[in-house]
Amino acid sequence: MTTLPVGAIIPFVGSNLNSLPANWLLCDGRPLASTDYPALSGALDNAFGGDSTSFNLPDLRGMFLRGVDGGAGNDPDTTGRTAQAAGGNTGDAVGTRQQDEIVSHAHALGQPWGYHGQGDYPVYLQGTMTANATGATGGSTETRPKNVYVYYLIYAGG
């Protein structure tokens, strides 16, 4: 039998949050007294916020998880990562958060009129220049991959 380390996080699809498995807590960002959960407090420290007598659980509601870059250079914005709650980690560390973003980009369009041709065979098209822009497309509130809701639980030890 494999023992999970304190602080392990799993997706959970049970529908009754009033009967979570023993020693598992919902990752909802709430503060807990360090004396009530000493093993979990030691594992998390104040990565997700807290103070000298308490620590915060990770708040993973509505969030996608991303591995810590750890200096690999895969996340070009590690310095812009902020604390999830007061007293939490910043930068390239567990518990930090990034806002959503779409990388700056442009969409090129072909010539709507003018010279079109190759070599000795030019073709001139006549017409009126119209607005050279793409119309808006996509959703209204965010960019995201296909996804399914789950609850994230954290193992508190026991």
Side-chain angles (χ1 to χ4, degrees):
M1 180 172 148
T2 303
T3 302
L4 292 172
V6 172
I9 292 176
I10 62 165
F12 179 70
V13 296
S15 60
N16 185 354
L17 293 180
N18 293 322
S19 59
L20 293 178
N23 302 315
W24 290 89
L25 302 169
L26 184 63
C27 291
D28 60 4
R30 68 190 142 137
L32 298 173
S34 299
T35 55
D36 290 345
Y37 297 93
L40 186 56
S41 174
L44 295 182
D45 195 22
N46 288 86
F48 296 92
D51 57 32
S52 61
T53 62
S54 68
F55 67 100
N56 290 12
L57 292 173
D59 191 351
L60 302 182
R61 297 172 293 177
M63 302 296 278
F64 289 94
L65 301 182
R66 183 177 189 171
V68 171
D69 188 71
N74 294 319
D75 180 354
D77 191 29
T78 57
T79 59
R81 298 186 67 85
T82 61
Q84 194 172 57
N89 287 341
T90 60
D92 190 7
V94 167
T96 61
R97 167 188 181 132
Q98 279 179 318
Q99 293 293 50
D100 53 348
E101 179 175 77
I102 298 174
V103 69
S104 177
H105 65 286
H107 297 269
L109 298 176
Q111 294 175 306
W113 62 273
Y115 169 80
H116 295 266
Q118 295 178 348
D120 295 330
Y121 304 100
V123 176
Y124 290 91
L125 303 174
Q126 297 180 17
T128 304
M129 182 69 157
T130 58
N132 194 7
T134 60
T137 184
S140 62
T141 59
E142 66 180 352
T143 300
R144 64 177 174 267
K146 292 178 183 177
N147 64 84
V148 173
Y149 268 173
V150 298
Y151 292 107
Y152 285 113
L153 303 182
I154 189 165
Y155 183 59

